[in-house]
Coordinates of all heavy atoms in Angstrom, one line a residue:
W109 N -17.8 17.2 -0.7 CA -18.0 17.8 0.6 C -17.7 19.4 0.6 O -18.4 20.1 1.3 CB -17.2 17.1 1.8 CG -17.3 15.7 1.7 CD1 -16.2 14.7 1.9 CD2 -18.4 14.8 1.6 NE1 -16.6 13.5 1.9 CE2 -18.0 13.4 1.7 CE3 -19.8 15.0 1.3 CZ2 -18.8 12.4 1.4 CZ3 -20.6 14.0 1.2 CH2 -20.2 12.7 1.2
K110 N -16.7 19.7 -0.2 CA -16.4 21.2 -0.2 C -17.4 21.9 -0.9 O -17.9 23.0 -0.2 CB -15.0 21.3 -0.9 CG -14.5 22.8 -1.0 CD -13.3 23.1 -1.6 CE -12.1 22.5 -1.0 NZ -10.7 23.1 -1.5
C111 N -18.0 21.5 -2.0 CA -19.1 22.2 -2.7 C -20.2 22.3 -1.8 O -21.0 23.3 -1.7 CB -19.3 21.5 -4.0 SG -18.0 21.7 -5.2
A112 N -20.5 21.1 -1.1 CA -21.7 21.0 -0.2 C -21.6 22.0 0.9 O -22.6 22.7 1.2 CB -22.0 19.6 0.2
V113 N -20.5 22.0 1.5 CA -20.3 22.9 2.7 C -20.4 24.5 2.2 O -20.9 25.2 3.0 CB -19.0 22.6 3.5 CG1 -17.9 23.3 3.0 CG2 -19.4 22.8 5.0
A114 N -19.8 24.7 1.0 CA -19.9 26.1 0.6 C -21.3 26.5 0.1 O -21.6 27.6 -0.3 CB -18.9 26.3 -0.5
N115 N -22.2 25.4 0.0 CA -23.6 25.6 -0.6 C -23.6 26.1 -1.9 O -24.4 27.1 -2.2 CB -24.4 26.5 0.5 CG -25.9 26.1 0.4 OD1 -26.2 25.1 -0.1 ND2 -26.6 27.0 1.1
I116 N -22.7 25.6 -2.8 CA -22.9 26.0 -4.2 C -23.4 24.7 -5.0 O -23.1 23.5 -4.5 CB -21.5 26.4 -4.7 CG1 -20.3 25.4 -4.5 CG2 -21.0 27.8 -4.2 CD1 -19.0 25.9 -5.0
P117 N -24.2 24.9 -5.9 CA -25.0 23.8 -6.5 C -24.1 22.9 -7.4 O -24.4 22.9 -8.6 CB -26.1 24.5 -7.2 CG -25.5 25.9 -7.6 CD -24.6 26.2 -6.5
L118 N -23.1 22.4 -6.9 CA -22.2 21.5 -7.6 C -21.8 20.3 -6.8 O -21.8 20.3 -5.6 CB -21.0 22.3 -7.9 CG -21.0 23.6 -8.8 CD1 -19.7 24.4 -8.9 CD2 -21.5 23.1 -10.3
G119 N -21.4 19.3 -7.6 CA -21.0 18.0 -6.9 C -19.5 17.9 -6.9 O -18.7 18.9 -7.2
G120 N -18.9 16.6 -6.7 CA -17.5 16.4 -6.5 C -16.9 15.6 -7.7 O -17.5 14.5 -8.1
G121 N -15.9 16.3 -8.3 CA -15.2 15.5 -9.4 C -13.7 15.7 -9.3 O -13.3 16.7 -8.6
K122 N -12.9 14.9 -10.0 CA -11.5 15.3 -10.1 C -10.9 14.5 -11.3 O -11.5 13.5 -11.7 CB -10.7 14.8 -8.9 CG -9.5 15.6 -8.5 CD -9.7 17.0 -7.9 CE -8.6 17.8 -7.7 NZ -8.9 19.1 -6.9
G123 N -9.9 15.1 -11.9 CA -9.3 14.4 -13.0 C -7.7 14.3 -12.8 O -7.1 15.0 -11.9
G124 N -7.0 13.5 -13.6 CA -5.6 13.4 -13.5 C -5.0 12.8 -14.7 O -5.6 12.0 -15.4

Side-chain angles (χ1 to χ4, degrees):
W109 312 136
K110 187 182 287 198
C111 292
V113 90
N115 209 9
I116 54 181
L118 297 170
K122 206 81 183 187

